[in-house]
Amino acid sequence: MIEYISHSERETEQIGARFAESLPGGTVVAMYGDLGAGKTAFVRGMAKGMGLDCRVSSPTFTIVNEYLGSRELIHFDMYRLNSADELYDIGWEDYLNRGAVCAVEWSEKVLDAFTGEEYTVRIDKLDDVSRRIIIGEGNEC
């Protein structure tokens, strides 16, 4: 488990970029944190770290955003889902089989979809701008 303290949205993006630089395809990143904690900023950094030149936005209403380039990042937002069954209904297994990196916001809503082999990213608000970011494997954080 690794812990970082971010003092700005830019620093959160930089931490996400460093984290994602060498992530292999097929990696699942289960993300946890309150509304406004910085999960999407972290994913924006992941895209940069993966060499993707795209606009990253929260998929709250679309549920899934795909960022394509030399590598592939699939960005999920489970906030509007009520169970892992709904995630499977939108093709979770198909996304996993593509070999893309999958970043999943609001992972606590779909815990049954995880195997315990994913990375976990927990982002906690410390104040208006500072965040504690804990990165672990499986259920470490």
Side-chain angles (χ1 to χ4, degrees):
M1 183 168 30
I2 301 170
E3 183 176 317
Y4 301 92
I5 300 296
S6 168
H7 300 285
S8 68
E9 187 172 329
R10 183 171 177 264
E11 282 185 22
T12 297
E13 289 179 15
Q14 290 171 339
I15 294 165
R18 284 193 306 272
F19 166 70
E21 284 174 347
S22 60
L23 279 182
T27 299
V28 174
V29 181
M31 303 183 72
Y32 303 89
D34 291 336
L35 192 64
K39 297 179 298 290
T40 299
F42 190 89
V43 174
R44 204 168 25 252
M46 287 178 63
K48 288 177 187 172
M50 293 174 62
L52 301 174
D53 184 25
C54 52
R55 184 178 176 276
V56 173
S57 60
S58 175
T60 299
F61 296 102
T62 59
I63 300 177
V64 180
N65 286 341
E66 299 182 28
Y67 310 117
L68 309 175
S70 58
R71 297 176 68 194
E72 189 174 8
L73 175 61
I74 310 295
H75 184 192
F76 296 86
D77 187 321
M78 303 293 98
Y79 185 75
R80 298 196 177 283
L81 298 187
N82 294 312
S83 71
D85 289 340
E86 291 181 37
L87 178 58
Y88 284 100
D89 288 345
I90 64 168
W92 174 243
E93 290 172 317
D94 295 330
Y95 285 110
L96 294 177
N97 291 332
R98 285 170 56 175
V101 172
C102 295
V104 184
E105 294 189 30
W106 297 99
S107 291
E108 58 272 22
K109 305 273 277 181
V110 293
L111 289 174
D112 292 348
F114 299 125
T115 64
E117 296 179 16
E118 50 281 319
Y119 281 94
T120 55
V121 175
R122 180 170 306 282
I123 304 176
D124 298 312
K125 293 180 187 180
L126 300 177
D127 57 38
D128 287 344
V129 294
S130 299
R131 305 291 187 260
R132 176 183 299 113
I133 301 170
I134 302 169
I135 301 172
E137 293 184 50
N139 297 319
E140 278 188 337
C141 61

